Amino acid sequence: MKTIKVMTVFGTRPEAIKMAPLALELARRPEFEAVCCVTAQHREMLDSVLDIFSLKPDYDLNVMEPRQTLSTITSKCLTGMDGVLETARPDLVLVHGDTSTTFAGALAAFYHKIPVGHVEAGLRTYDKWSPFPEEVNRKLVGAIADLHFCPTAANRDNLALEHIAQGVFLTGNTVIDALQTTVQTQFRFSEPVLNCLDYVNRKVILVTCHRRENYGQPMANIMTALRQVADAFPNVELVYPVHLSPVVQEAAHKHLDHHPRIHLTAPLDVREMHNLMARCHLVMTDSGGLQEEAPALGKPVLVLRKETERPEAVAAGTVRLAGVEREPILQMASQLLSDPAEYDKMAHAANPYGDGRACRRIADAIAWHFGLRETPPDPFGPL
Ligand code: UD1
Ligand code: UDP
């Protein structure tokens, strides 16, 4: 039987978490020859995910530098991909989302006239400065890609507005596939503070914050508000696994050190993170991935951004936009911590982003596109 050589390309932690189950699905199926190329735009945070999913890349560009700029990531990935694509000659390159790796990976494949599949396609804020540079990255990849795997119907409709209708598949988000393999009721944390926390009698708030457009004053505002939340509510324990970016490390330690109920930890491995999320009371984050995972686990989310490209969970009532100013963040968190009715309105499971079968649909769609299957996959519909 003819096999299709499919290369997955990724480099950051969120891409790895969302591409690992797809890389494993492709490797399992006889109709594909699966090859994996990592740029290592992230090093430690990528390796942690590869380790958990037992994924061994065939190519590793090892591009990460401390305080890397957007130009250095893009140029190193682009030139590094040249040699990889010449050697491997895949039939299809799969990229994910909106990072510099995503953009460079798609562009390199295009230069080599290799078709591109875009996983997590069609997310938009329509503000090119927010998220920066991700909004422009994903639009450029949308223009290059031949296959577009949209998590939700709204994402598909966004592409239709850009006259992209061919090769579009509604699949759900692969992050929900990943989440189904990581959360366990009897999970024991290896991070000591997480094993000692009283998740029943205390209100554990899980925080993450790393976005480039929040560097500087917005990040200072967010962190000041977080400290004030901890000061105002003695039953709150705030857990913040701090991203390894030196800019974020500096801001987090400057504003949040030396508080008995604020716990700054190293980045958690993905199993620790998902199990902490499953036990916490509330999530406050500027992350994209956490906005998708927390609703599936029934955890309310305050988004520390001015906008979101993930409006589905806002519509479902489990996510609210808190912005990047100190006062509204403090006010919205205080309301959820002091008003049980308000909290209950948000604390219900919602699955607008996936049903755990996104990877299967994407693999089926690729097989269909290459003539190895008679029918396309059934589209994802929210549960
Ligand atoms: C990148 C993505 C962003 C995504 C985020 C996920 C771009 C432009 N941005 O942003 O879309 O939300 O990843 O986390 O692609 N570092 C380490 N070790 C690591 C990872 C990072 O030391 O394992 C440090 C390095 O000093 C690096 C810095 O963090 O230079 C920033 O990493 P970078 O990938 O440039 O930006 P992120 O903010 O992580
Ligand atoms: N995550 C993790 N450990 C951490 C912080 C985040 O495993 O310490 C996971 C999180 O569960 C989600 C993904 O990383 O799956 C999100 O990555 P990030 O917030 O870095 O990027 P974004 O989603 O904003 O692009």
Side-chain angles (χ1 to χ4, degrees):
M1 176 172 133
K2 174 177 147 196
T3 59
I4 304 300
K5 188 169 190 176
V6 182
M7 176 183 281
T8 46
V9 177
F10 52 91
T12 65
R13 171 175 63 196
E15 293 168 86
I17 292 169
K18 291 167 163 180
M19 286 293 252
L22 179 56
L24 295 173
E25 173 74 15
L26 294 170
R28 237 186 327 262
R29 294 172 56 148
E31 63 267 47
F32 301 113
E33 181 189 348
V35 280
C36 174
C37 172
V38 296
T39 65
Q41 175 178 336
H42 287 172
R43 187 71 273 172
E44 301 88 336
M45 287 159 53
L46 170 76
D47 290 344
S48 162
V49 182
L50 296 175
D51 202 33
I52 301 257
F53 286 94
S54 304
L55 206 57
K56 297 209 182 343
D58 301 282
Y59 303 92
D60 188 332
L61 303 182
N62 198 25
V63 304
M64 196 193 86
E65 293 170 19
R67 292 184 192 265
Q68 59 203 0
T69 66
L70 299 176
S71 305
T72 54
I73 312 168
T74 304
S75 53
K76 285 174 90 173
C77 291
L78 193 57
T79 48
M81 287 300 299
D82 261 345
V84 170
L85 293 174
E86 266 159 31
T87 310
R89 303 295 322 160
D91 298 302
L92 178 71
V93 164
L94 291 179
V95 294
H96 180 279
D98 51 22
T99 70
S100 296
T101 288
T102 316
F103 170 54
L107 190 59
F110 172 64
Y111 286 164
H112 286 260
K113 299 191 174 162
I114 296 169
V116 172
H118 188 197
V119 182
E120 199 176 272
L123 280 68
R124 297 287 185 270
T125 59
Y126 300 104
D127 176 352
K128 76 174 184 181
W129 299 112
S130 186
F132 172 82
E134 290 84 357
E135 175 72 2
V136 168
N137 282 345
R138 58 197 174 208
K139 283 177 98 160
L140 295 172
V141 175
I144 292 172
D146 305 276
L147 301 176
H148 311 261
F149 304 109
C150 296
T152 71
N155 304 149
R156 180 196 56 198
D157 296 346
N158 289 340
L159 291 185
L161 289 175
E162 293 167 23
H163 306 287
I164 299 172
Q166 292 292 313
V168 176
F169 300 89
L170 182 47
T171 60
N173 198 308
T174 59
V175 79
I176 305 298
D177 301 28
L179 196 61
Q180 291 185 348
T181 67
T182 50
V183 178
Q184 294 158 4
T185 37
Q186 296 304 320
F187 188 80
R188 267 196 77 72
F189 296 97
S190 58
E191 174 70 45
V193 69
L194 302 183
N195 269 334
C196 300
L197 285 175
D198 180 348
Y199 296 93
V200 179
N201 298 306
R202 315 283 286 170
K203 292 186 173 170
V204 174
I205 303 181
L206 167 59
V207 172
T208 74
C209 182
H210 74 276
R211 304 221 78 78
R212 273 175 197 262
E213 71 273 12
N214 281 342
Y215 284 5
Q217 194 56 48
M219 212 168 258
N221 298 342
I222 289 167
M223 296 196 183
T224 306
L226 291 170
R227 193 170 185 109
Q228 292 179 344
V229 170
D231 283 339
F233 293 90
N235 64 341
V236 156
E237 303 280 347
L238 210 141
V239 181
Y240 177 5
V242 186
H243 190 292
L244 292 178
S245 161
V247 182
V248 180
Q249 287 278 337
E250 279 164 22
H253 287 288
K254 177 175 169 202
H255 292 281
L256 299 172
D257 266 351
H258 310 302
H259 191 293
R261 286 177 291 99
I262 297 180
H263 312 282
L264 301 186
T265 74
L268 300 176
D269 80 38
V270 60
R271 271 179 320 193
E272 303 247 320
M273 184 62 175
H274 287 171
N275 283 283
L276 175 60
M277 210 183 301
R279 285 161 183 71
C280 77
H281 182 74
L282 171 66
V283 176
M284 296 176 72
T285 188
D286 68 357
S287 161
L290 268 78
Q291 288 179 59
E292 295 154 346
E293 295 160 342
L297 296 169
K299 304 300 171 174
V301 182
L302 293 181
V303 176
L304 306 170
R305 287 170 56 175
K306 286 184 282 193
E307 39 51 45
T308 179
E309 59 286 89
R310 295 169 170 87
E312 296 85 354
V314 177
T318 62
V319 169
R320 289 181 188 168
L321 268 184
V324 295
E325 301 297 332
R326 185 193 59 82
E327 182 58 36
I329 296 170
L330 176 60
Q331 188 265 326
M332 287 175 82
S334 301
Q335 187 189 32
L336 289 180
L337 291 166
S338 52
D339 182 343
E342 225 19 68
Y343 178 85
D344 288 345
K345 265 198 235 166
M346 291 182 78
H348 55 266
N351 277 314
Y353 298 112
D355 58 1
R357 289 188 291 146
C359 295
R360 223 178 305 164
R361 287 194 188 91
I362 293 169
D364 285 348
I366 296 169
W368 180 67
H369 175 80
F370 283 95
L372 300 182
R373 211 184 118 96
E374 298 211 331
T375 52
D378 290 334
F380 163 65
L383 305 174

